[in-house]
Amino acid sequence: MLGIIVQLAVSWLIIWLCEKKHLGVLGFFPTKHRLLYFAIFLLVTAIFCTSGYILRMYFGKEEWILNPNISSLLILSGVWWNIKSVLFEELIFRGVLLYILIKKAGPAIAIAISSIAFGIYHWFSMEIFGNVIQMIVIFFVTGAMGLLLAY
């Protein structure tokens, strides 16, 4: 929890120093349009993930079994970890960095730099720095996702 507070404070400080604005410029307050897009994207993602699992079980003859060590605490800690990591990535790469770069360098350059930084960041978060083949694959996969999300 402290990490999120520090991250919000640092993000606010960067935006304040560069633009003399507050975190509201990053779109913290949802609009009806954003909530609708969020719901649609969540539904489409759930359909694709479910389809992927079903296809892997059918064609790959994979089996799905419930983890015998599953607990409410394990599920909640997994959900909390995902919220923290996504919040961090969004605030940094599609929040503060993208917002400031759009103002300073224009949208195309801002999106490119944000995507490149996102791809490089995952070398370290996935602890693959030094494995060149994995670094190239991760850079292109996460960089492309960063490009899509920034766009």
Side-chain angles (χ1 to χ4, degrees):
M1 187 66 164
L2 181 61
I4 292 175
I5 293 170
V6 169
Q7 179 186 347
L8 286 169
V10 169
S11 298
W12 172 82
L13 183 63
I14 292 170
I15 289 201
W16 180 253
L17 291 174
C18 292
E19 296 291 322
K20 301 290 186 237
K21 295 184 178 176
H22 56 81
L23 287 175
V25 299
L26 300 179
F28 274 178
F29 308 106
T31 62
K32 287 180 185 177
H33 231 89
R34 284 187 189 152
L35 290 174
L36 176 64
Y37 285 147
F38 173 78
I40 291 170
F41 186 70
L42 186 65
L43 179 64
V44 168
T45 302
I47 290 169
F48 277 117
C49 287
T50 304
S51 300
Y53 281 115
I54 290 171
L55 290 171
R56 284 175 41 198
M57 286 189 287
Y58 182 75
F59 291 111
K61 306 298 182 210
E62 291 183 7
E63 292 184 20
W64 185 86
I65 59 170
L66 187 61
N67 181 349
N69 299 324
I70 192 106
S71 67
S72 299
L73 183 60
L74 184 63
I75 292 170
L76 288 175
S77 68
V79 168
W80 179 241
W81 182 87
N82 277 287
I83 288 170
K84 288 189 309 186
S85 64
V86 168
L87 181 63
F88 172 78
E89 290 176 0
E90 290 304 311
L91 265 176
I92 299 301
F93 298 106
R94 262 130 351 251
V96 175
L97 180 64
L98 187 62
Y99 178 78
I100 291 171
L101 285 173
I102 286 173
K103 297 286 186 180
K104 305 286 184 196
I109 292 172
I111 289 171
I113 292 172
S114 172
S115 302
I116 290 167
F118 190 65
I120 291 171
Y121 161 78
H122 280 88
W123 292 345
F124 301 97
S125 70
M126 294 180 161
E127 299 178 1
I128 60 166
F129 195 77
N131 184 336
V132 177
I133 301 299
Q134 261 190 324
M135 287 173 66
I136 291 169
V137 170
I138 293 300
F139 177 78
F140 281 109
V141 170
T142 58
M145 192 63 195
L147 184 71
L148 176 69
L149 292 170
Y151 180 74

